[in-house]
């Protein structure tokens, strides 16, 4: 029997239909593997085609291996078939953790 191991999925990806309003929430839990007392603040790379929010905007860790959760919300209405790309970056001022956001705007048909 194969046992699945936990995987860190840094990319946020979804397919949405053109000309249809969407609101997608991606939840993630991260584990502190750095310094015990560290605070990471998020920066959102803007994309004029979508609205992106992250809650909370700051993750403060007090211990090694401590877990924190956050939610990335992406909403909008893109009028044509395309790929929308953006990202978020968590930074403690020294270390940066980038997570791409990729939206495939298509009907799913070839």
């Amino acid at each position: 029997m194969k046992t699945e191991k936990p995987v860190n999925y840094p990319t946020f990806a979804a397919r949405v239909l053109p000309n249809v309003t969407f609101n997608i929430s991606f939840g993630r839990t991260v584990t502190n593997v750095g310094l015990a007392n560290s605070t990471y603040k998020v920066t959102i790379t803007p994309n004029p085609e979508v609205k992106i929010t992250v809650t909370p905007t700051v993750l403060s860790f007090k211990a090694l291996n401590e877990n924190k959760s956050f939610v990335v919300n992406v909403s909008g209405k893109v009028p044509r078939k395309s790929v929308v790309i953006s990202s978020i970056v968590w930074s403690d001022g020294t270390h940066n953790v980038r997570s791409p956001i990729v939206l495939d705007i298509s009907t799913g048909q070839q």
Side-chain angles (χ1 to χ4, degrees):
M1 174 180 251
K2 183 178 178 183
T3 304
E4 301 257 345
K5 294 182 179 180
V7 178
N8 179 13
Y9 294 107
T11 300
F12 303 99
R15 174 177 286 157
V16 298
L17 296 171
N19 289 311
V20 176
T21 301
F22 59 88
N23 187 2
I24 304 166
S25 293
F26 300 97
R28 292 289 192 273
T29 299
V30 293
T31 302
N32 183 23
V33 295
L35 299 174
N37 289 314
S38 55
T39 299
Y40 287 81
K41 296 179 184 177
V42 73
T43 301
I44 300 166
T45 304
N47 185 309
E49 296 188 284
V50 294
K51 178 182 178 185
I52 300 169
T53 59
V54 179
T55 306
T57 58
V58 175
L59 299 176
S60 294
F61 295 96
K62 304 216 181 311
L64 186 63
N65 296 318
E66 180 180 0
N67 293 326
K68 294 285 183 179
S69 296
F70 65 94
V71 175
V72 175
N73 189 282
V74 183
S75 60
K77 181 178 178 181
V78 180
R80 67 196 176 293
K81 293 181 182 180
S82 64
V83 175
V84 175
I85 299 174
S86 188
S87 66
I88 64 170
V89 178
W90 291 99
S91 178
D92 66 355
T94 302
H95 306 96
N96 297 305
V97 181
R98 181 179 177 272
S99 295
I101 299 169
V102 181
L103 299 177
D104 175 11
I105 315 298
S106 70
T107 60
Q109 300 173 354
Q110 301 295 351

